[in-house]
Amino acid sequence: HLLTLFIIFGVSFTFSFYVKNDYDETRYAIFEKILAYLLIFNEFLKPFYLNYFSPDDYNWTNTIPLHACHFSSYATGLFLLTRNQKFFDFAYFWGLGGASMALLTPDVDFAFPSGVFFPFFWGHTLILLAVSYAIVALRQRPFLRDVHRVIGMSIMLMVIIYFINLLLGEGANFWYLMDKPDTDSVMNYFPDPPFHMTVVIPIAIAFFYLLYLPFWIKDRISKD
């Protein structure tokens, strides 16, 4: 796991800084489109290959691409295709925050070379690579108003996802609103569901502001 993390973070940021030095929009246009389509279509294909690799652990109620990281993939892919700042904001906060936490505490029961191991780390690696590429090579950044917008949209989506979980019934646990992850994570120390969300939500909001902190510091230094 630690070796996998070292490779993922190392490759993502090394590649992004390498591209930054000689970035040309025309030269990297095809790469960006390929990465964008991989991000989006990978999520739609997950229900099929996860059920194939591990039919005992996955079914349609827990593989529909509605987790927060799935939304991160959509937003990141759409940003690369459209350069719309709003898509970048969601890609940054959901992607960098969610994908990093997922990689640090992966919700998979089997390690390398399990068939479940590869799809999980492959999908989250794409997010981290694309977001780091957008920040470093494309010089994208969020602003304080963007933090507030992402928080508000996240809460609204959380309500929608909660009712989707109820509608799908047993086994549906998108955004981990109904139960904690099956594998060990920081949520082990939170109250039992549904009260675990009274801790998750404030931590997520604080983490969004923490992700914005480097840009706030940079702005303050620039003003001084």
Side-chain angles (χ1 to χ4, degrees):
H1 181 210
L2 292 177
L3 177 60
T4 302
L5 292 180
F6 177 79
I7 295 172
I8 291 172
F9 281 89
V11 170
S12 297
F13 287 99
T14 300
F15 175 77
S16 299
F17 277 101
Y18 170 78
V19 173
K20 177 183 178 181
N21 296 326
D22 68 337
Y23 177 75
D24 179 84
E25 185 174 354
T26 304
R27 185 187 308 170
Y28 288 96
I30 295 178
F31 164 76
E32 292 171 9
K33 288 182 179 179
I34 291 174
L35 183 56
Y37 289 126
L38 280 174
L39 281 159
I40 295 171
F41 287 111
N42 177 59
E43 301 304 338
F44 288 109
L45 292 174
K46 271 184 181 178
F48 300 99
Y49 64 70
L50 286 177
N51 280 291
Y52 174 80
F53 284 124
S54 187
D56 293 333
D57 298 312
Y58 295 100
N59 55 66
W60 70 276
T61 59
N62 60 17
T63 56
I64 299 173
L66 292 177
H67 264 302
C69 284
H70 299 148
F71 284 96
S72 301
S73 294
Y74 305 146
T76 309
L78 288 171
F79 165 73
L80 291 174
L81 292 173
T82 65
R83 288 295 197 277
N84 187 305
Q85 176 69 28
K86 292 181 180 179
F87 287 132
F88 169 77
D89 296 335
F90 290 105
Y92 178 73
F93 291 107
W94 286 354
L96 195 60
S100 298
M101 289 301 298
L103 288 168
L104 291 173
T105 57
D107 187 17
V108 290
D109 296 324
F110 304 101
F112 177 87
S114 167
V116 178
F117 179 90
F118 285 105
F120 179 88
F121 282 96
W122 159 255
H124 289 86
T125 298
L126 287 176
I127 297 173
L128 186 62
L129 172 62
V131 174
S132 62
Y133 177 85
I135 298 169
V136 178
L138 303 183
R139 294 178 170 83
Q140 292 293 314
R141 57 153 297 173
F143 293 89
L144 185 59
R145 64 179 181 274
D146 302 322
V147 186
H148 301 153
R149 181 171 62 247
V150 172
I151 290 173
M153 182 62 71
S154 299
I155 293 174
M156 286 190 291
L157 278 172
M158 186 178 295
V159 174
I160 295 172
I161 296 297
Y162 177 78
F163 283 105
I164 290 176
N165 284 330
L166 290 179
L167 181 64
L168 293 176
E170 186 177 356
N173 189 27
F174 298 109
W175 291 38
Y176 301 111
L177 297 176
M178 315 306 289
D179 202 357
K180 299 177 184 179
D182 293 332
T183 54
D184 290 334
S185 71
V186 68
M187 286 194 189
N188 290 355
Y189 305 99
F190 295 175
D192 292 332
F195 301 105
H196 67 304
M197 297 309 299
T198 62
V199 180
V200 171
I201 294 174
I203 288 179
I205 292 174
F207 197 51
F208 283 174
Y209 282 109
L210 185 63
L211 287 171
Y212 176 71
L213 183 60
F215 298 100
W216 181 84
I217 294 174
K218 180 182 178 181
D219 292 339
R220 291 300 297 265
I221 293 174
S222 298
K223 288 182 180 179
D224 295 339

